[in-house]
């Protein structure tokens, strides 16, 4: 489904103009701007505060926190260190240093700084808040690794004990619980936060997000509207509303057109309420990626890549979009730029998935398979990649490796389809035939257990499919035929499957492309009746049908050649 093409006009219709208003210079206003995702505005205010109130360490912390949210951990670290220089016992800035290390995947340093922040916090709950928030920075599509989420829950719970009336702590605790699908507990914390501060728009939006992931879209909208009733200019409410509309469109095709239009409108409002910085446009790119509007994403990413103060991350978007648009040369160039120039700590498993896909489409199959394997090394839970590896290996004729990849996928994924089982069965079957027909010296002994595994995969399909599948019955017949030592000692293992194939294909209708397979099935039955049953009439009947379907069938031709005039005219 083509998603939100109308959104392509949003950024073009909005220009990057500076605000002529004079920013308020209080820390409270700067924090409000951060919460509203007006990061350039907040950064400008905080830079000023670090000069005019240079003795206040919290000014440095919040400036550093903006850099963290904008994914500039090195800049954040430098600012936090300045805050500690102002106040060596600044718990907030130690929390910030921990966050910078955590983003850089230096968990040992992060833990040291988090512990220092907590030890210096005293009765101040804010250091607990930002340590907890830091643990949630690795959010991907609303999920956080369980270990990080649990660490966040633990420290935020301690912060709640320090100050039960800190509404921000309660919201953050709700966010941490939400990432682990502990929605009832999360909702309880959001409501507790609202009981303390009824004008906390963030808590209303967070509640709406819970309903979004539960696909209760009407309730989500109610919460977003409630947030905007509190603050009509609260941009994050429009952003989450837009993303909810996109999810709604995917979930309910009947609502797709209306919800796509709404998503466009909501995101346009969100952008108008931010400062239209590079970071805001990067969020727009995130939205386009979420919605699947890859055409617009490629255009916007290309524009961002040309910006003087651009973020390297834009090459990730450009690579993803170009791949989805089948522009493989552009995708390969962009992904190589991202992989080689970005800090290695910023590379995520999905980058290697896309790199592998791009390389395979660029006829660099071996490199592509290696990249897909790298993705699994980085995220062992992403078992879907095994299916892609299997497909690539199968295309290279590496059937045994392909079979192993498909086997892992079908065992570990609840989303494996019957087509995946077919690919698995075919891979095992062809791995066996490679051995059987090998001309290597010494000739390998064919591993008949591969036939058993192939047959098991085929049987699974026939059991689970709404109706037996003719081609699967054919491959079951072939696999069982290979189990026979020779025709003279045949047990007829393939017979029921070839008969099933004939029945199913006849009922479905025999096309020209099926005739050779029909001849194969009848020729087998001819051999069975000739050698096993010694039934000349049945043998002749089946060989004749094989010849009717395919006059070039070698088994049938050999039979008539052997019999000569005895079956002439039959």
């Amino acid at each position: 489904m083509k998603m939100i093409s109308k959104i392509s006009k949003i950024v073009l219709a909005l220009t990057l103009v500076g605000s002529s208003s004079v920013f308020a210079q209080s820390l409270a206003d700067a924090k409000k701007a951060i919460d509203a995702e007006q990061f350039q505005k907040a950064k400008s205010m905080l830079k000023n505060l670090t000069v005019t109130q240079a003795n206040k360490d919290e000014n440095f912390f919040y400036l550093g926190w903006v850099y963290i949210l904008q994914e500039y951990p090195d800049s954040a670290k430098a600012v936090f260190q300045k805050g500690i220089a102002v106040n060596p016992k600044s718990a907030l800035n130690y929390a910030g240093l921990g966050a910078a290390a955590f983003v850089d995947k230096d968990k040992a340093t992060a833990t040291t700084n988090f512990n220092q922040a907590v030890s210096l916090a005293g009765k101040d709950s804010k250091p607990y808040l930002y340590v907890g928030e830091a643990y949630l920075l690795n959010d991907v599509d609303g999920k956080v690794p369980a270990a990080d989420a649990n660490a966040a829950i633990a420290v935020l719970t301690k912060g709640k004990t320090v100050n039960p009336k800190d509404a921000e702590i309660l919201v953050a605790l709700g966010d941490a619980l939400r990432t682990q699908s502990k929605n009832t507990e999360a909702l309880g914390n959001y409501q507790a936060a609202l009981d303390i501060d009824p004008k906390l728009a963030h808590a209303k939006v967070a509640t709406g997000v819970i309903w979004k992931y539960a696909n209760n879209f009407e309730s989500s909208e109610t919460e977003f509207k409630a947030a905007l009733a509190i603050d009509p200019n609260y941009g994050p409410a429009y952003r989450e509303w837009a993303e909810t509309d996109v999810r709604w469109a995917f979930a309910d095709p009947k609502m797709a057109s209306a919800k796509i239009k709404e998503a466009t409108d909501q995101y346009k409002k969100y952008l108008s309420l931010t400062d239209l910085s590079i970071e805001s446009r990067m969020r727009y790119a995130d939205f386009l990626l979420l919605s699947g509007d890859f055409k617009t994403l490629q255009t916007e990413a290309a524009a961002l890549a040309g910006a003087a103060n651009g973020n390297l991350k834009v090459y990730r978007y450009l690579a993803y979009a170009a791949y989805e648009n089948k522009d493989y040369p552009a995708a390969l160039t962009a992904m190589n730029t991202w992989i080689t120039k970005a800090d290695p700590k910023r590379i995520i498993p999905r980058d290697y998935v896309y790199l592998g896909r791009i390389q395979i489409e660029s006829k660099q199959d071996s490199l592509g398979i290696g990249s897909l394997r790298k993705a699994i090394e980085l995220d062992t839970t992403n078992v879907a990649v095994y299916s892609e590896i299997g497909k690539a290996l199968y295309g290279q004729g590496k059937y045994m490796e392909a079979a192993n990849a498909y086997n892992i996928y079908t065992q570990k994924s609840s989303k494996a389809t019957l087509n995946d089982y077919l690919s698995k069965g075919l891979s095992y079957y062809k791995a066996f035939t490679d051995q059987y027909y090998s001309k290597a010296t010494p000739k390998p002994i064919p591993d008949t257990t591969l036939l058993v595994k192939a047959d098991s995969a085929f049987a699974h399909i026939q059991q689970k499919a709404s109706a037996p599948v003719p081609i699967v019955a054919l491959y079951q017949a072939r696999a069982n035929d290979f189990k026979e030592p020779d025709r003279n000692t045949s047990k007829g293992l393939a017979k029921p499957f070839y008969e099933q194939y004939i029945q199913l294909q006849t009922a479905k209708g025999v096309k020209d492309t099926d005739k050779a397979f029909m001849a194969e099935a009848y020729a087998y039955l001819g051999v069975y009746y000739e050698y096993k049953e010694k039934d000349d009439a049945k043998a002749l009947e089946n060989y004749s049908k094989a010849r009717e379907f395919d006059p070039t069938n070698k088994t049938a031709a050999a039979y008539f050649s052997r019999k000569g005039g005895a079956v002439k005219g039959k």
Side-chain angles (χ1 to χ4, degrees), residues 6 34 82 90 124 126 135 137 186 257 262 276 297 329 333 344 368 415 459 465 468 494 539 547:
K6 294 180 181 179
I34 294 172
K82 289 180 181 179
S90 175
D124 183 2
K126 294 307 178 190
Y135 278 119
L137 290 170
S257 179
E262 282 186 23
L276 284 175
L297 177 58
T333 299
K415 297 182 179 180
R547 186 168 63 174

Side-chain angles (χ1 to χ4, degrees), residues 118-227:
V118 168
S119 69
L120 293 170
K123 295 183 179 180
D124 183 2
S125 59
K126 294 307 178 190
Y128 292 90
L129 168 65
Y130 287 100
V131 170
E133 293 275 19
Y135 278 119
L136 302 178
L137 290 170
N138 284 337
D139 180 304
V140 178
D141 296 330
K143 296 294 182 184
V144 170
D148 296 339
N150 289 334
I153 292 168
V155 74
L156 290 166
T157 300
K158 290 179 181 177
K160 182 178 176 180
T161 302
V162 169
N163 182 3
K165 297 297 184 181
D166 187 334
E168 290 182 303
I169 284 274
L170 294 170
V171 172
L173 184 54
D175 291 345
L177 291 162
R178 185 188 73 211
T179 69
Q180 302 306 296
S181 299
K182 297 179 179 179
N183 293 335
T184 301
E185 295 172 67
L187 286 169
N189 280 280
Y190 294 146
Q191 187 55 55
L194 287 165
D195 290 342
I196 295 169
D197 182 0
K199 295 188 177 299
L200 196 60
H202 186 154
K204 284 291 184 184
V205 171
T207 303
V209 172
I210 281 188
W211 296 128
K212 174 182 77 172
Y213 285 117
N215 287 350
N216 186 343
F217 304 117
E218 292 89 349
S219 294
S220 288
E221 284 193 347
T222 298
E223 297 299 333
F224 300 143
K225 289 176 181 177

Side-chain angles (χ1 to χ4, degrees), residues 100-118:
F102 187 81
V103 170
D104 274 341
K105 299 186 169 116
D106 182 357
K107 291 199 173 184
T109 300
T111 300
T112 297
N113 283 296
F114 289 155
N115 289 341
Q116 181 73 345
V118 168

Side-chain angles (χ1 to χ4, degrees), residues 487-489 525-540:
R487 65 178 57 178
N488 293 312
T489 59
L525 294 174
V527 170
Y528 175 81
Y529 284 111
E530 181 182 5
Y531 291 96
K532 175 68 174 174
E533 296 296 327
K534 313 298 184 184
D535 186 333
D536 291 338
K538 281 280 192 180
L540 174 59

Side-chain angles (χ1 to χ4, degrees), residues 131-438:
V131 170
E133 293 275 19
Y135 278 119
L136 302 178
L137 290 170
N138 284 337
D139 180 304
V140 178
D141 296 330
K143 296 294 182 184
V144 170
D148 296 339
N150 289 334
I153 292 168
V155 74
L156 290 166
T157 300
K158 290 179 181 177
K160 182 178 176 180
T161 302
V162 169
N163 182 3
K165 297 297 184 181
D166 187 334
E168 290 182 303
I169 284 274
L170 294 170
V171 172
L173 184 54
D175 291 345
L177 291 162
R178 185 188 73 211
T179 69
Q180 302 306 296
S181 299
K182 297 179 179 179
N183 293 335
T184 301
E185 295 172 67
L187 286 169
N189 280 280
Y190 294 146
Q191 187 55 55
L194 287 165
D195 290 342
I196 295 169
D197 182 0
K199 295 188 177 299
L200 196 60
H202 186 154
K204 284 291 184 184
V205 171
T207 303
V209 172
I210 281 188
W211 296 128
K212 174 182 77 172
Y213 285 117
N215 287 350
N216 186 343
F217 304 117
E218 292 89 349
S219 294
S220 288
E221 284 193 347
T222 298
E223 297 299 333
F224 300 143
K225 289 176 181 177
L228 292 168
I230 294 170
D231 181 357
N233 296 318
Y234 191 63
Y238 287 112
R239 175 176 54 76
E240 288 291 355
W241 195 346
E243 293 176 6
T244 298
D245 280 334
V246 169
R247 187 178 175 98
W248 196 340
F250 277 118
D252 186 354
K254 292 183 293 184
M255 298 290 290
S257 179
K259 290 303 162 187
I260 290 167
K261 183 181 183 304
E262 282 186 23
T264 304
D265 293 340
Q266 308 306 351
Y267 214 87
K268 185 174 181 179
K269 290 174 184 174
Y270 167 71
L271 287 173
S272 72
L273 290 168
T274 69
D275 36 42
L276 284 175
S277 62
I278 291 294
E279 287 71 33
S280 293
R281 294 174 68 190
M282 293 289 281
R283 279 186 173 271
Y284 173 51
D286 278 326
F287 181 63
L288 294 171
L289 180 62
L290 170 72
S291 68
D293 187 359
F294 295 108
K295 183 178 180 180
T296 305
L297 177 58
Q298 188 171 355
T299 301
E300 175 65 6
L304 283 167
N309 58 338
N311 187 322
L312 268 176
K313 185 180 175 182
V314 73
Y315 288 101
R316 170 189 286 160
Y317 299 123
L318 189 55
Y320 289 10
Y323 168 80
E324 297 292 350
N325 293 328
K326 303 187 186 306
D327 185 357
Y328 303 124
L332 188 60
T333 299
M335 186 55 82
N336 282 336
T337 299
W338 170 244
I339 294 285
T340 57
K341 292 187 176 181
D343 186 329
K345 298 185 185 74
R346 299 181 71 191
I347 307 302
I348 61 175
R350 185 168 59 176
D351 294 335
Y352 284 105
V353 172
Y354 267 95
L355 176 61
R357 292 170 176 170
I358 294 165
Q359 289 168 328
I360 289 168
E361 292 294 345
S362 302
K363 310 304 179 187
Q364 300 175 5
D365 295 52
S366 295
L367 289 175
I369 292 167
S371 296
L372 293 174
R373 291 192 188 281
K374 178 70 172 178
I376 292 175
E377 287 176 17
L378 294 174
D379 181 7
T380 57
T381 66
N382 191 8
V383 296
V385 178
Y386 283 109
S387 177
E388 297 192 49
I389 291 174
K391 181 179 179 180
L393 288 167
Y394 189 93
Q396 288 187 314
K398 297 178 179 178
Y399 300 120
M400 191 67 251
E401 293 179 60
N404 289 336
Y406 279 120
N407 186 49
I408 293 172
Y409 179 60
T410 55
Q411 286 183 342
K412 292 189 174 183
S413 175
S414 61
K415 297 182 179 180
T417 66
L418 295 184
N419 278 334
D420 294 312
Y421 279 91
L422 179 60
S423 297
K424 173 181 170 179
L426 290 174
S427 298
Y428 278 126
Y429 174 78
K430 292 195 173 187
F432 174 84
T433 58
D434 270 0
Q435 296 174 357
Y436 188 87
Y437 292 114
S438 174

